[in-house]
């Protein structure tokens, strides 16, 4: 495989996993969610991520979700699977399962729970990369995972040919400048936090892994393309409308918020698997009010080639 030919770009929703009332995985409904996203023009799918409730799923469930995504995509867009594990061995096992299921790549988070040193983080990523021929996106989310995969850490892995992309959810735009300054276009850079996407695109992000694009995929892809095309006046008008929704991606209960949005717009169910519990009381009312206001003022979208 020529990893230099990997050209991931655009909006890749971090797809939700649909859950039945008995808390089993609803593969049929998940397939429908994915089909609808692709029909609305998204550029890729990331399954088994945070929004996909990765850590609440078994290995077999995650593998089945990859299979469903591959079937829904039908080669039209790339399918990446999240890899979020406690140990190197388990991460290799999930990476292998994703490959067997037909994934086009994997998005690997640093080890969960244990806070590794920089040396251990690099060794973790290198060991997984050496175990597979799949293209790999590394995922940095220091606020949640207490492990900062800085540009300095990333650039020590330029010799790992199948590490091709980097998702940054730090909220800091500096990596989008610092990484190319150090290693040119060696890595494809993705924005990871919804409410700083325009800023990240303005300084070089090639793609956006988005939570809220599950519920508003056309708005997400339009916003991204406006920014990418340098049409910032139009982008900012849409960004102002979108921002209260995008802020929901940056909360501990982001999965419940995003899935509630999906339900309110008729794109999925709000059911999550415990320990995640449904929103209730004041929090539920506040989130519903955000969505209802957005729907009442939903804008006409400019033409971006969708």
């Amino acid at each position: 495989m020529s990893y230099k030919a990997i050209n991931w770009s655009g909006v890749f929703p971090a797809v939700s996993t649909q859950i039945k009332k008995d808390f089993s995985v609803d593969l049929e409904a998940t397939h429908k969610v994915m089909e609808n996203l692709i029909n609305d023009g998204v550029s890729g799918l990331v399954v088994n991520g945070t929004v996909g409730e990765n850590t609440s799923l078994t290995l077999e469930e995650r593998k089945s979700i990859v299979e469903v995504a591959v079937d829904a995509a039908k080669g039209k867009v790339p399918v990446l699977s999240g890899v979020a594990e406690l140990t190197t061995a388990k991460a290799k096992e999930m990476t292998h399962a994703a490959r067997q299921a037909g994934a086009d790549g994997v998005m690997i988070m640093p080890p969960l729970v244990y806070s590794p040193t920089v040396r251990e983080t690099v060794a973790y990523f290198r060991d997984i990369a050496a175990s597979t021929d799949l293209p790999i996106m590394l995922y940095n989310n220091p606020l949640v995972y207490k492990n900062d995969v800085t540009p300095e850490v990333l650039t020590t892995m330029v010799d790992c040919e199948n590490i091709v992309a980097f998702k940054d959810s730090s909220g800091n735009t500096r990596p989008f400048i610092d990484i190319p300054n150090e290693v040119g276009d060696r890595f494809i850079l993705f924005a990871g936090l919804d409410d700083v996407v325009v800023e990240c695109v303005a300084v070089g992000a090639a793609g956006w892994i988005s939570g809220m694009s599950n519920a508003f995929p056309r708005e997400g892809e339009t916003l991204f393309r406006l920014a990418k095309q340098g049409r910032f006046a139009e982008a900012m008008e849409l960004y102002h409308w979108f921002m209260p929704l995008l802020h929901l991606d940056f909360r501990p209960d982001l999965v419940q918020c995003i899935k509630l949005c999906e339900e309110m717009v008729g794109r999925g169910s709000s059911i999550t698997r415990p320990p995640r519990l449904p929103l209730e009381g004041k929090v539920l009312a506040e989130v519903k009010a955000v969505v209802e206001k957005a729907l009442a003022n939903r804008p006409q979208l400019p033409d971006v080639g969708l």
Side-chain angles (χ1 to χ4, degrees):
M1 177 185 294
S2 173
Y3 297 107
K4 292 181 180 178
I6 301 297
N7 60 352
W8 298 334
S9 62
V11 181
F12 289 34
V15 183
S16 66
T17 300
Q18 297 299 294
I19 304 294
K20 298 178 182 179
K21 291 181 179 179
D22 65 358
F23 301 122
S24 62
V25 172
D26 190 335
L27 291 176
E28 183 178 350
T30 301
H31 190 281
K32 185 64 176 177
V33 163
M34 295 168 178
E35 280 186 313
N36 288 338
L37 289 171
I38 293 165
N39 290 339
D40 277 318
V42 302
S43 299
L45 302 175
V46 176
V47 301
N48 298 325
T50 301
V51 179
E53 300 180 66
N54 184 312
T55 54
S56 300
L57 304 172
T58 67
L59 177 68
E60 286 305 313
E61 286 172 332
R62 283 180 247 142
K63 185 177 180 182
S64 294
I65 289 166
V66 176
E67 292 169 344
V68 163
V70 170
D71 183 74
K74 292 182 170 55
K76 297 175 185 176
V77 301
V79 172
L80 278 63
S81 176
V83 176
E85 301 291 345
L86 300 176
T87 67
T88 304
K90 287 291 186 183
K92 289 180 181 179
E93 185 180 14
M94 180 58 215
T95 300
H96 179 66
R99 190 186 190 288
Q100 285 185 316
D104 297 294
V106 287
M107 182 183 73
I108 303 177
M109 304 175 199
L112 302 183
V113 181
Y114 175 60
S115 295
T117 65
V118 168
R119 181 171 69 91
E120 290 169 328
T121 299
V122 171
Y124 180 78
F125 288 141
R126 282 184 173 276
D127 284 352
I128 300 166
S131 75
T132 185
D133 61 356
L134 279 178
I136 291 170
M137 176 184 291
L138 300 185
Y139 178 18
N140 184 41
N141 192 336
L143 297 173
V144 173
Y145 299 111
K146 314 304 179 188
N147 185 318
D148 195 1
V149 184
T150 64
E152 292 76 17
V153 173
L154 178 66
T155 55
T156 66
M157 291 178 276
V158 292
D159 59 306
C160 295
E161 290 187 5
N162 59 331
I163 297 177
V164 301
F166 182 66
K167 171 189 173 183
D168 191 271
S169 294
S170 67
N172 176 6
T173 59
R174 296 186 189 94
F176 295 93
I177 300 293
D178 292 341
I179 293 167
N181 274 350
E182 186 68 25
V183 294
D185 62 358
R186 170 63 181 80
F187 299 105
I188 305 165
L189 305 180
F190 271 70
L193 280 185
D194 282 3
D195 56 4
V196 289
V197 60
V198 170
E199 296 89 325
C200 292
V201 173
V203 293
W208 173 26
I209 295 178
S210 170
M212 195 48 66
S213 288
N214 279 289
F216 296 93
R218 294 189 70 83
E219 286 84 355
E221 189 75 38
T222 298
L223 178 65
F224 179 86
R225 293 190 186 196
L226 287 172
K228 201 68 180 171
Q229 294 169 14
R231 296 161 62 181
F232 287 106
E234 294 166 281
M236 289 308 297
E237 185 175 348
L238 180 55
Y239 206 24
H240 277 279
W241 169 84
F242 218 169
M243 188 58 73
L245 292 165
L246 298 180
H247 283 325
L248 299 176
D249 183 60
F250 186 59
R251 309 165 42 129
D253 56 4
L254 67 96
V255 178
Q256 292 94 315
C257 290
I258 289 167
K259 293 187 85 170
L260 175 63
C261 291
E262 286 184 277
E263 184 169 280
M264 290 180 68
V265 299
R267 301 189 70 99
S269 164
S270 64
I271 299 172
T272 53
R273 181 176 276 183
R276 289 184 175 91
L277 298 177
L279 303 178
E280 62 180 11
K282 182 180 178 183
V283 173
L284 174 61
E286 288 172 349
V287 174
K288 290 182 74 171
V290 168
V291 181
E292 288 165 354
K293 182 177 179 181
L295 291 174
N297 299 284
R298 202 166 190 171
Q300 288 288 111
L301 299 177
D303 182 12
V304 291
L306 272 176

